[in-house]
Amino acid sequence: MDTFYFAPGSCSLAVLIALEEAGAPFQAVRVDLAQGQQRTPDYLKLNPKGRVPMLLTAQGALTETPALLLYVAQSFSQAGLAPLSDPFALARVQAFNSYLCSTVHVAHAHGKRGSRWVDAQDSAAIEAMRRHVPTSYGDCFELIERELLQGPWVMGEAYSIADAYLFTLAGWLESDGVDPARFPKVLAHRQRMAERPAVQRALARVQQG
């Protein structure tokens, strides 16, 4: 059985949702980021990046949200979480997930982990990045609202792994100082997602102490 390492409030929720949607057998292990558990020697042996999510499989450890989402979709193809038989459609799913990973999530991280990009002692630079997050994060969701979210699901009529990822990052709008009312399609998507049993099961796991 695979073991999934996750942390509340992180992008690992997307993979947790996908695992639940797929009906995958897995063990969930909570990583306490606030206590630095991701930096312990035991965890770093498994994942030298010192981050979540991580999925420990019989073949080894896998990291990075887009890769894990595709792994789940391919490993449990009967769940229909990605258009695996259509190269173009699958590439569109991957393009969307890559945008969330490389641009949207990075805009969010500038507000909470600015020391990844500048000296931790440079308080002015860190504060400048933090102040810009409502603009940069909001700009990302303006593009998603206008161009990328097809509706009712990200790719149109078919639910996919992209929906779990969008739901996760859309959940950070308020904490990043962005008014979600600006994005009615994203808000409607977030509500549809919240009604899915697999999403409810994933959120219940996250909320458990």
Side-chain angles (χ1 to χ4, degrees):
M1 182 183 296
D2 293 344
T3 302
F4 182 62
Y5 292 79
F6 74 99
S10 76
C11 61
S12 56
L13 174 62
V15 183
L16 197 56
I17 291 171
L19 289 165
E20 292 286 0
E21 292 279 7
F26 69 99
Q27 177 185 3
V29 176
R30 179 185 298 257
V31 178
D32 191 333
L33 301 182
Q35 296 299 316
Q37 191 174 356
Q38 73 279 18
R39 294 293 180 185
T40 61
D42 286 345
Y43 189 80
L44 289 173
K45 285 180 182 177
L46 298 172
N47 181 9
K49 295 173 182 175
R51 298 184 185 180
V52 293
M54 176 181 68
L55 188 66
L56 189 60
T57 76
Q59 295 171 283
L62 293 171
T63 62
E64 304 300 335
T65 300
L68 291 176
L69 289 172
L70 185 58
Y71 173 83
V72 173
Q74 291 180 315
S75 297
F76 303 93
S77 58
Q78 73 281 357
L81 296 179
L84 301 177
S85 63
D86 185 334
F88 182 80
L90 183 59
R92 289 182 63 242
V93 171
Q94 289 297 84
F96 183 84
N97 286 349
S98 296
Y99 177 67
L100 295 185
C101 180
S102 65
T103 302
V104 185
H105 195 159
V106 171
H108 165 79
H110 279 172
K112 301 181 184 299
R113 290 177 286 278
S115 59
R116 289 181 180 174
W117 294 277
V118 299
D119 192 311
Q121 304 305 312
D122 191 343
S123 58
I126 289 177
E127 175 60 19
M129 283 192 286
R130 187 194 66 77
R131 287 198 310 268
H132 191 59
V133 167
T135 298
S136 58
Y137 206 61
D139 287 348
C140 291
F141 274 87
E142 284 187 3
L143 177 63
I144 291 169
E145 176 83 8
R146 186 180 68 250
E147 302 288 347
L148 304 182
L149 175 54
Q150 301 298 307
W153 305 113
V154 171
M155 293 297 144
E157 295 299 321
Y159 179 89
S160 74
I161 49 176
D163 294 293
Y165 206 177
L166 176 60
F167 174 76
T168 299
L169 272 59
W172 300 344
L173 284 165
E174 289 91 340
S175 65
D176 279 352
V178 182
D179 182 2
R182 293 167 51 189
F183 315 113
K185 288 169 59 179
V186 171
L187 269 182
H189 178 271
R190 199 163 74 172
Q191 181 58 42
R192 280 191 293 275
M193 287 293 295
E195 294 169 356
R196 294 181 71 89
V199 174
Q200 294 170 7
R201 291 194 300 272
L203 290 173
R205 283 185 185 266
V206 170
Q207 292 161 3
Q208 290 172 356

PDB file of all heavy atoms in Angstrom, residues 39-57:
ATOM      1  N   ARG A  39      11.870  18.592   7.835  1.00  0.00           N
ATOM      2  CA  ARG A  39      13.328  18.769   7.835  1.00  0.00           C
ATOM      3  C   ARG A  39      14.043  17.762   8.729  1.00  0.00           C
ATOM      4  O   ARG A  39      15.266  17.857   8.912  1.00  0.00           O
ATOM      5  CB  ARG A  39      13.685  20.186   8.298  1.00  0.00           C
ATOM      6  CG  ARG A  39      13.224  21.286   7.339  1.00  0.00           C
ATOM      7  CD  ARG A  39      13.972  21.203   6.035  1.00  0.00           C
ATOM      8  NE  ARG A  39      13.575  22.234   5.080  1.00  0.00           N
ATOM      9  CZ  ARG A  39      14.019  22.308   3.845  1.00  0.00           C
ATOM     10  NH1 ARG A  39      14.873  21.400   3.390  1.00  0.00           N
ATOM     11  NH2 ARG A  39      13.615  23.261   3.035  1.00  0.00           N
ATOM     12  N   THR A  40      13.321  16.807   9.261  1.00  0.00           N
ATOM     13  CA  THR A  40      13.953  15.804  10.106  1.00  0.00           C
ATOM     14  C   THR A  40      14.768  14.837   9.246  1.00  0.00           C
ATOM     15  O   THR A  40      14.456  14.620   8.068  1.00  0.00           O
ATOM     16  CB  THR A  40      12.908  15.014  10.901  1.00  0.00           C
ATOM     17  OG1 THR A  40      12.041  14.333   9.983  1.00  0.00           O
ATOM     18  CG2 THR A  40      12.095  15.934  11.797  1.00  0.00           C
ATOM     19  N   PRO A  41      15.819  14.246   9.806  1.00  0.00           N
ATOM     20  CA  PRO A  41      16.644  13.308   9.019  1.00  0.00           C
ATOM     21  C   PRO A  41      15.838  12.168   8.409  1.00  0.00           C
ATOM     22  O   PRO A  41      16.087  11.776   7.261  1.00  0.00           O
ATOM     23  CB  PRO A  41      17.656  12.798  10.041  1.00  0.00           C
ATOM     24  CG  PRO A  41      17.782  13.916  11.033  1.00  0.00           C
ATOM     25  CD  PRO A  41      16.400  14.498  11.134  1.00  0.00           C
ATOM     26  N   ASP A  42      14.878  11.633   9.148  1.00  0.00           N
ATOM     27  CA  ASP A  42      14.094  10.511   8.635  1.00  0.00           C
ATOM     28  C   ASP A  42      13.289  10.914   7.409  1.00  0.00           C
ATOM     29  O   ASP A  42      13.205  10.156   6.433  1.00  0.00           O
ATOM     30  CB  ASP A  42      13.154   9.980   9.726  1.00  0.00           C
ATOM     31  CG  ASP A  42      13.896   9.190  10.791  1.00  0.00           C
ATOM     32  OD1 ASP A  42      15.062   8.807  10.560  1.00  0.00           O
ATOM     33  OD2 ASP A  42      13.296   8.962  11.861  1.00  0.00           O
ATOM     34  N   TYR A  43      12.695  12.108   7.447  1.00  0.00           N
ATOM     35  CA  TYR A  43      11.901  12.543   6.302  1.00  0.00           C
ATOM     36  C   TYR A  43      12.794  12.893   5.120  1.00  0.00           C
ATOM     37  O   TYR A  43      12.484  12.555   3.977  1.00  0.00           O
ATOM     38  CB  TYR A  43      11.026  13.746   6.680  1.00  0.00           C
ATOM     39  CG  TYR A  43      10.024  14.095   5.602  1.00  0.00           C
ATOM     40  CD1 TYR A  43       8.841  13.382   5.472  1.00  0.00           C
ATOM     41  CD2 TYR A  43      10.270  15.129   4.694  1.00  0.00           C
ATOM     42  CE1 TYR A  43       7.921  13.684   4.461  1.00  0.00           C
ATOM     43  CE2 TYR A  43       9.365  15.446   3.696  1.00  0.00           C
ATOM     44  CZ  TYR A  43       8.193  14.712   3.583  1.00  0.00           C
ATOM     45  OH  TYR A  43       7.288  15.002   2.575  1.00  0.00           O
ATOM     46  N   LEU A  44      13.912  13.541   5.400  1.00  0.00           N
ATOM     47  CA  LEU A  44      14.810  13.937   4.314  1.00  0.00           C
ATOM     48  C   LEU A  44      15.426  12.734   3.603  1.00  0.00           C
ATOM     49  O   LEU A  44      15.797  12.836   2.434  1.00  0.00           O
ATOM     50  CB  LEU A  44      15.906  14.856   4.853  1.00  0.00           C
ATOM     51  CG  LEU A  44      15.440  16.257   5.257  1.00  0.00           C
ATOM     52  CD1 LEU A  44      16.570  17.011   5.935  1.00  0.00           C
ATOM     53  CD2 LEU A  44      14.919  17.029   4.052  1.00  0.00           C
ATOM     54  N   LYS A  45      15.529  11.609   4.294  1.00  0.00           N
ATOM     55  CA  LYS A  45      16.007  10.394   3.635  1.00  0.00           C
ATOM     56  C   LYS A  45      15.032   9.969   2.534  1.00  0.00           C
ATOM     57  O   LYS A  45      15.438   9.448   1.492  1.00  0.00           O
ATOM     58  CB  LYS A  45      16.162   9.267   4.652  1.00  0.00           C
ATOM     59  CG  LYS A  45      17.373   9.392   5.559  1.00  0.00           C
ATOM     60  CD  LYS A  45      17.430   8.229   6.530  1.00  0.00           C
ATOM     61  CE  LYS A  45      18.606   8.365   7.492  1.00  0.00           C
ATOM     62  NZ  LYS A  45      18.626   7.265   8.499  1.00  0.00           N
ATOM     63  N   LEU A  46      13.748  10.186   2.785  1.00  0.00           N
ATOM     64  CA  LEU A  46      12.729   9.825   1.804  1.00  0.00           C
ATOM     65  C   LEU A  46      12.561  10.905   0.746  1.00  0.00           C
ATOM     66  O   LEU A  46      12.383  10.615  -0.435  1.00  0.00           O
ATOM     67  CB  LEU A  46      11.390   9.596   2.517  1.00  0.00           C
ATOM     68  CG  LEU A  46      11.336   8.474   3.548  1.00  0.00           C
ATOM     69  CD1 LEU A  46      10.018   8.500   4.293  1.00  0.00           C
ATOM     70  CD2 LEU A  46      11.557   7.127   2.885  1.00  0.00           C
ATOM     71  N   ASN A  47      12.618  12.153   1.188  1.00  0.00           N
ATOM     72  CA  ASN A  47      12.386  13.286   0.289  1.00  0.00           C
ATOM     73  C   ASN A  47      13.384  14.400   0.596  1.00  0.00           C
ATOM     74  O   ASN A  47      13.128  15.262   1.446  1.00  0.00           O
ATOM     75  CB  ASN A  47      10.955  13.805   0.450  1.00  0.00           C
ATOM     76  CG  ASN A  47      10.654  14.965  -0.478  1.00  0.00           C
ATOM     77  OD1 ASN A  47      11.451  15.299  -1.363  1.00  0.00           O
ATOM     78  ND2 ASN A  47       9.504  15.584  -0.285  1.00  0.00           N
ATOM     79  N   PRO A  48      14.513  14.408  -0.070  1.00  0.00           N
ATOM     80  CA  PRO A  48      15.543  15.423   0.192  1.00  0.00           C
ATOM     81  C   PRO A  48      15.073  16.850  -0.043  1.00  0.00           C
ATOM     82  O   PRO A  48      15.725  17.796   0.419  1.00  0.00           O
ATOM     83  CB  PRO A  48      16.655  15.050  -0.788  1.00  0.00           C
ATOM     84  CG  PRO A  48      16.444  13.609  -1.098  1.00  0.00           C
ATOM     85  CD  PRO A  48      14.964  13.417  -1.070  1.00  0.00           C
ATOM     86  N   LYS A  49      13.958  17.031  -0.755  1.00  0.00           N
ATOM     87  CA  LYS A  49      13.432  18.381  -0.966  1.00  0.00           C
ATOM     88  C   LYS A  49      12.879  18.980   0.323  1.00  0.00           C
ATOM     89  O   LYS A  49      12.734  20.200   0.433  1.00  0.00           O
ATOM     90  CB  LYS A  49      12.322  18.367  -2.029  1.00  0.00           C
ATOM     91  CG  LYS A  49      12.815  17.968  -3.411  1.00  0.00           C
ATOM     92  CD  LYS A  49      11.652  17.817  -4.374  1.00  0.00           C
ATOM     93  CE  LYS A  49      12.137  17.362  -5.752  1.00  0.00           C
ATOM     94  NZ  LYS A  49      11.011  17.099  -6.674  1.00  0.00           N
ATOM     95  N   GLY A  50      12.516  18.123   1.260  1.00  0.00           N
ATOM     96  CA  GLY A  50      11.994  18.606   2.527  1.00  0.00           C
ATOM     97  C   GLY A  50      10.650  19.286   2.399  1.00  0.00           C
ATOM     98  O   GLY A  50      10.368  20.267   3.096  1.00  0.00           O
ATOM     99  N   ARG A  51       9.782  18.774   1.526  1.00  0.00           N
ATOM    100  CA  ARG A  51       8.479  19.378   1.303  1.00  0.00           C
ATOM    101  C   ARG A  51       7.406  18.299   1.195  1.00  0.00           C
ATOM    102  O   ARG A  51       7.704  17.106   1.154  1.00  0.00           O
ATOM    103  CB  ARG A  51       8.488  20.239   0.033  1.00  0.00           C
ATOM    104  CG  ARG A  51       9.464  21.416   0.079  1.00  0.00           C
ATOM    105  CD  ARG A  51       9.360  22.272  -1.161  1.00  0.00           C
ATOM    106  NE  ARG A  51      10.368  23.331  -1.173  1.00  0.00           N
ATOM    107  CZ  ARG A  51      10.510  24.214  -2.135  1.00  0.00           C
ATOM    108  NH1 ARG A  51       9.706  24.180  -3.184  1.00  0.00           N
ATOM    109  NH2 ARG A  51      11.448  25.144  -2.084  1.00  0.00           N
ATOM    110  N   VAL A  52       6.175  18.742   1.127  1.00  0.00           N
ATOM    111  CA  VAL A  52       5.051  17.870   0.789  1.00  0.00           C
ATOM    112  C   VAL A  52       4.433  18.431  -0.486  1.00  0.00           C
ATOM    113  O   VAL A  52       4.634  19.614  -0.796  1.00  0.00           O
ATOM    114  CB  VAL A  52       4.002  17.830   1.927  1.00  0.00           C
ATOM    115  CG1 VAL A  52       4.565  17.163   3.163  1.00  0.00           C
ATOM    116  CG2 VAL A  52       3.472  19.222   2.256  1.00  0.00           C
ATOM    117  N   PRO A  53       3.723  17.568  -1.222  1.00  0.00           N
ATOM    118  CA  PRO A  53       3.379  16.188  -0.931  1.00  0.00           C
ATOM    119  C   PRO A  53       4.468  15.211  -1.350  1.00  0.00           C
ATOM    120  O   PRO A  53       5.345  15.539  -2.152  1.00  0.00           O
ATOM    121  CB  PRO A  53       2.129  15.977  -1.792  1.00  0.00           C
ATOM    122  CG  PRO A  53       2.350  16.854  -2.977  1.00  0.00           C
ATOM    123  CD  PRO A  53       3.040  18.074  -2.438  1.00  0.00           C
ATOM    124  N   MET A  54       4.354  14.011  -0.791  1.00  0.00           N
ATOM    125  CA  MET A  54       5.211  12.907  -1.207  1.00  0.00           C
ATOM    126  C   MET A  54       4.386  11.626  -1.139  1.00  0.00           C
ATOM    127  O   MET A  54       3.629  11.422  -0.186  1.00  0.00           O
ATOM    128  CB  MET A  54       6.439  12.767  -0.308  1.00  0.00           C
ATOM    129  CG  MET A  54       7.299  11.550  -0.666  1.00  0.00           C
ATOM    130  SD  MET A  54       8.758  11.342   0.395  1.00  0.00           S
ATOM    131  CE  MET A  54       7.994  10.910   1.953  1.00  0.00           C
ATOM    132  N   LEU A  55       4.550  10.790  -2.142  1.00  0.00           N
ATOM    133  CA  LEU A  55       3.895   9.492  -2.163  1.00  0.00           C
ATOM    134  C   LEU A  55       4.972   8.427  -2.192  1.00  0.00           C
ATOM    135  O   LEU A  55       5.780   8.381  -3.121  1.00  0.00           O
ATOM    136  CB  LEU A  55       2.990   9.358  -3.397  1.00  0.00           C
ATOM    137  CG  LEU A  55       2.101   8.116  -3.448  1.00  0.00           C
ATOM    138  CD1 LEU A  55       1.053   8.151  -2.345  1.00  0.00           C
ATOM    139  CD2 LEU A  55       1.420   7.993  -4.812  1.00  0.00           C
ATOM    140  N   LEU A  56       4.985   7.605  -1.175  1.00  0.00           N
ATOM    141  CA  LEU A  56       5.965   6.523  -1.089  1.00  0.00           C
ATOM    142  C   LEU A  56       5.336   5.262  -1.646  1.00  0.00           C
ATOM    143  O   LEU A  56       4.381   4.718  -1.087  1.00  0.00           O
ATOM    144  CB  LEU A  56       6.392   6.321   0.369  1.00  0.00           C
ATOM    145  CG  LEU A  56       7.565   5.380   0.608  1.00  0.00           C
ATOM    146  CD1 LEU A  56       8.819   5.865  -0.110  1.00  0.00           C
ATOM    147  CD2 LEU A  56       7.836   5.230   2.093  1.00  0.00           C
ATOM    148  N   THR A  57       5.869   4.806  -2.786  1.00  0.00           N
ATOM    149  CA  THR A  57       5.339   3.628  -3.471  1.00  0.00           C
ATOM    150  C   THR A  57       6.323   2.470  -3.337  1.00  0.00           C
ATOM    151  O   THR A  57       7.444   2.639  -2.850  1.00  0.00           O
ATOM    152  CB  THR A  57       5.106   3.934  -4.959  1.00  0.00           C
ATOM    153  OG1 THR A  57       6.379   3.941  -5.641  1.00  0.00           O
ATOM    154  CG2 THR A  57       4.430   5.294  -5.148  1.00  0.00           C
TER     155      THR A  57
END
